[in-house]
Amino acid sequence: MSKEKIKICKEFYDVMPPEYQELVEDATYGNTDRGWKDIGVHKELIEEHSLCAGCPESIAFRYILASLPNPEDTVMVGSTGCTSLVFPMVAVHNIHSLFGNQNAIATGLKRALSVRFPGQIKDVVVLAGDGATVDIGLDMTLQAWFRQEKFTTICFDNELYANTGGQESGLMQKGFVAKMAPVGKKFDKVRLPEIARESGCHYVVQCTVSKPALVERVIKNAIHIAREIGPTYLQLYTPCILEIGKNSMEGLQEMRDSERPSERFAYKEFVSDEAKQFLADLTAKQKAAAAKRVEQKAAAIPSAS
Ligand SMILES: Cc1ncc(C[n+]2csc(CCOP(=O)(O)OP(=O)(O)O)c2C)c(N)n1
Ligand code: SF4
Ligand SMILES: [Mg+2]
């Protein structure tokens, strides 16, 4: 998809839903500097969702979709879970995989896209829950990293199986009691960011989604590195407020509390040497391009004399 391809044929313009007209006219497809600041100013690529009111997954979706570098050339791969309730309402190509299979599907998709569109940008982004990423899909997750597949894996870590009523997950904290895990978790939270690093990911970040600018930065880094170098992994804490007994206004505070330096969602980042060099070059190129745009703008303003 490109902005050209989502033009509405003029004979049908007036019968298209206003939301679609707005998407074509006012979304940020093709804008090089798109980001979270467009939220509320431009048409978003997600307008509605069927998550619980105040669920942090919904704000995470908004930040991620606003930050995709090239949404018109991105395919997202989802999996079963609360996130899968959202994908039907997202204006980015997406595939629903069988629970746990998302990284295998993304592998085939990424390879097929690179054969079908050689030399063109085609980003693949997996977005799945912790149950899908770590428990049932762990084999597929790890094998994609071992094979150095060039796509980003995002895990919405809410530390349990939310969509099926609250069962224990590998990312659940030790001792936590959920509605359908009444005995309490007996083992520590699996350290997937460390495993991702040891399994070949070139960029790994664990954080909450309390800060939109931070989410934008890590999404862009992860996608750019995956495009050029190899697999990247983001583990984002999106607490299930329903399961931890918080109301719809308390998700943000829960994330802020959990990201303190001594807490389990303190910011954690790993960047491989190759990816570090790549990011430094990318930043330099982006700065030069921005300076050129300013110069061109200044040159286009007629002088007062
Ligand atoms: C193959 C398969 N196994 C099990 C299920 C049942 N199931 C649906 S959602 C889900 C849990 C999802 O948990 P998670 O991936 O953490 O996502 P969340 O709902 O927490 O966002 C399970 C076990 C399924 N749909 N398909
Ligand atoms: S059950 Fe939990 S994770 Fe799922 S939508 Fe509700 S608050 Fe969000
Ligand atoms: Mg979960």
Side-chain angles (χ1 to χ4, degrees):
M1 185 167 71
S2 78
K3 193 163 183 186
E4 277 299 290
K5 289 178 203 155
I6 59 157
K7 268 202 313 211
I8 303 174
C9 157
K10 70 177 183 327
E11 287 77 9
F12 290 124
Y13 194 92
D14 55 350
V15 295
M16 291 302 282
E19 294 80 9
Y20 196 86
Q21 292 174 2
E22 215 189 331
L23 193 63
V24 175
E25 305 301 335
D26 195 35
T28 53
Y29 299 113
N31 287 8
T32 48
D33 59 345
R34 63 190 310 278
W36 75 273
K37 288 195 174 65
D38 298 321
I39 292 176
V41 180
H42 286 283
K43 174 74 173 177
E44 292 183 50
L45 306 186
I46 172 174
E47 190 164 70
E48 295 171 352
H49 63 78
S50 46
L51 300 171
C52 299
C55 173
E57 285 194 359
S58 62
I59 195 71
F61 257 101
R62 294 181 74 187
Y63 295 160
I64 291 168
L65 294 174
S67 307
L68 295 176
N70 295 78
E72 63 280 9
D73 286 304
T74 300
V75 186
M76 299 187 76
V77 181
S79 197
T80 318
C82 286
T83 50
S84 55
L85 305 174
V86 180
F87 276 112
M89 285 155 267
V90 164
V92 172
H93 288 303
N94 61 81
I95 295 178
H96 178 72
S97 71
L98 183 68
F99 189 58
N101 276 1
Q102 58 281 350
N103 280 38
I105 301 285
T107 298
L109 175 66
K110 179 70 191 188
R111 289 176 178 219
L113 288 171
S114 56
V115 172
R116 172 67 183 81
F117 302 100
Q120 289 184 44
I121 290 172
K122 294 288 168 192
D123 295 322
V124 171
V125 177
V126 170
L127 198 168
D130 48 310
T133 310
V134 186
D135 290 8
I136 298 177
L138 185 63
D139 183 16
M140 272 65 78
T141 307
L142 290 185
Q143 296 296 333
W145 294 343
F146 294 157
R147 288 191 308 265
Q148 294 288 284
E149 303 292 348
K150 290 182 160 176
F151 61 82
T152 297
T153 303
I154 304 174
C155 171
F156 275 4
D157 181 7
N158 54 16
E159 307 191 293
L160 43 69
Y161 293 12
N163 194 238
T164 37
Q167 291 84 9
E168 179 176 312
S169 111
L171 292 192
M172 184 183 268
Q173 349 166 25
K174 189 173 182 180
F176 192 82
V177 172
K179 287 198 197 81
M180 300 215 187
V183 176
K185 174 97 180 286
K186 292 208 167 60
F187 308 98
D188 284 327
K189 186 178 175 73
V190 169
R191 297 172 313 131
L192 200 64
E194 283 76 4
I195 294 174
R197 178 170 57 81
E198 289 158 6
S199 305
C201 284
H202 289 268
Y203 183 72
V204 180
V205 169
Q206 170 198 273
C207 62
T208 79
V209 297
S210 72
K211 299 183 183 75
L214 177 78
V215 177
E216 176 181 329
R217 181 169 64 78
V218 301
I219 291 289
K220 287 183 173 170
N221 284 349
I223 292 177
H224 282 127
I225 293 170
R227 203 185 272 173
E228 301 297 333
I229 299 180
T232 55
Y233 174 61
L234 305 177
Q235 188 166 315
L236 307 179
Y237 181 42
T238 53
C240 173
I241 48 174
L242 195 76
E243 197 60 44
I244 58 175
K246 305 269 177 187
N247 70 36
S248 57
M249 300 302 285
E250 291 173 337
L252 181 60
Q253 193 55 48
E254 163 65 21
M255 291 189 280
R256 285 181 177 154
D257 291 343
S258 312
E259 70 194 8
R260 294 198 181 114
S262 58
E263 296 295 332
R264 68 194 186 291
F265 285 100
Y267 184 80
K268 208 185 262 181
E269 180 185 89
F270 163 75
V271 194
S272 71
D273 290 342
E274 216 179 334
K276 266 184 206 151
Q277 186 57 52
F278 168 77
L279 283 182
D281 295 345
L282 183 69
T283 310
K285 269 189 220 151
Q286 285 171 340
K287 275 190 184 153
K292 200 167 170 196
R293 282 200 295 275
V294 172
E295 240 172 60
Q296 284 168 342
K297 240 184 189 171
I301 300 170
S303 65
S305 59

